[in-house]
Amino acid sequence: MLGESAPSFNANSTNGTFEFPKDFGNSWKILLSHPKDFTPVCTSEILQLAQMQSEFEELGVKLAIISTDKLESHFEWKQLMEDILIESGHSDHIEFPLIEDDNGRISNKYGMLHAWENPTQDVRGVFIINPQNEIKSINFYPMNIGRNMEEIKRVVVALQISEKDQVLIPVNWNEGDDVLMKYVPYSKQELAVNPDLENQYYKVGVNMWYKKQGVK
Ligand code: BEZ
């Protein structure tokens, strides 16, 4: 559930063994599940993530991928995807781990196995976890629909700004857009002392106070 501590687990992966989330340290983390190695939608998703690795790294985010496949399968699939990346002119290696969960132990802990869809393969889960290892966002997508990785990145940016500046994120927000205030941002007295406040905030309707971005 949102706000809960991310359940911890020990894992074997293409990057060796680790304890999640502890060994990912003080980063943001995204744990993404997928149904099956070598399938077309899953392959397209991992290739996209591989091309966005540096963007996630710049945001202080570490990625981890999980499915109910065996480690041997993960290694073979990873090699195939790295070959595709190089063939298509990308030099990217897949830096993030592909986690083995062939007995579904971890997937069950995270509710990634939806029995009515498929009892043994994960749905497409996205768990965004903050540096304090609290789960901040959960999404599940159907097996036949690939995720929008730009949208996942947008949510990370939104969560980070919301947390850092104590603001709210309005509908259809994109990085650089104005944000919403949690409270009325200034009193009449404060405005009298600092008239520039009127240039930093504006009101829509009765209760939507926006803070202009790019303005101090
Ligand atoms: C795919 O990744 O292509 C896929 C996986 C499971 C079910 C349907 C599609």
Side-chain angles (χ1 to χ4, degrees), residues 118-194:
N118 189 314
T120 59
Q121 293 179 353
D122 290 334
V123 294
R124 298 182 196 280
V126 185
F127 292 78
I128 302 179
I129 298 162
N130 74 5
Q132 293 74 44
N133 294 332
E134 298 156 349
I135 300 176
K136 300 306 286 183
S137 172
I138 302 174
N139 275 290
F140 290 112
Y141 296 76
M143 291 188 166
N144 52 337
I145 309 294
R147 285 160 283 196
N148 184 330
M149 301 307 175
E150 292 293 346
E151 166 61 7
I152 292 169
K153 185 182 147 195
R154 187 191 75 95
V155 174
V156 171
V157 173
L159 282 167
Q160 291 180 343
I161 289 177
S162 172
E163 228 164 80
K164 180 169 77 66
D165 296 344
Q166 287 298 301
V167 291
L168 305 169
I169 304 298
V171 64
N172 292 347
W173 180 89
N174 279 305
E175 194 170 5
D177 290 351
D178 297 341
V179 294
L180 280 165
M181 297 303 294
K182 289 185 179 176
Y183 309 106
V184 176
Y186 54 82
S187 64
K188 275 185 183 157
Q189 290 85 343
E190 284 166 325
L191 185 61
V193 176
N194 180 9

Side-chain angles (χ1 to χ4, degrees), residues 27-168:
S27 313
W28 285 76
K29 301 143 194 97
I30 310 181
L31 181 64
L32 298 107
S33 62
H34 70 89
K36 188 141 190 65
D37 291 358
F38 294 100
T39 51
V41 177
C42 297
T43 306
S44 72
E45 289 186 327
I46 304 304
L47 287 171
Q48 180 61 30
L49 283 177
Q51 290 168 66
M52 293 173 70
Q53 288 173 120
S54 58
E55 294 169 49
F56 281 109
E57 201 183 320
E58 275 166 30
L59 293 171
V61 177
K62 289 189 174 157
L63 305 170
I65 311 299
I66 186 168
S67 74
T68 55
D69 295 284
K70 281 189 171 295
L71 193 54
E72 197 185 357
S73 162
H74 282 344
F75 274 118
E76 286 170 13
W77 188 41
K78 180 179 168 182
Q79 183 60 61
L80 176 116
M81 292 189 287
E82 289 185 337
D83 289 347
I84 295 172
L85 286 169
I86 290 162
E87 273 166 31
S88 58
H90 300 282
S91 59
D92 308 43
H93 283 278
I94 295 173
E95 310 282 356
F96 45 81
L98 307 183
I99 297 169
E100 174 184 60
D101 188 31
D102 56 324
N103 59 14
R105 176 180 55 91
I106 304 166
S107 300
N108 267 320
K109 241 183 182 181
Y110 273 79
M112 294 161 169
L113 286 164
H114 295 196
W116 292 92
E117 283 291 319
N118 189 314
T120 59
Q121 293 179 353
D122 290 334
V123 294
R124 298 182 196 280
V126 185
F127 292 78
I128 302 179
I129 298 162
N130 74 5
Q132 293 74 44
N133 294 332
E134 298 156 349
I135 300 176
K136 300 306 286 183
S137 172
I138 302 174
N139 275 290
F140 290 112
Y141 296 76
M143 291 188 166
N144 52 337
I145 309 294
R147 285 160 283 196
N148 184 330
M149 301 307 175
E150 292 293 346
E151 166 61 7
I152 292 169
K153 185 182 147 195
R154 187 191 75 95
V155 174
V156 171
V157 173
L159 282 167
Q160 291 180 343
I161 289 177
S162 172
E163 228 164 80
K164 180 169 77 66
D165 296 344
Q166 287 298 301
V167 291
L168 305 169

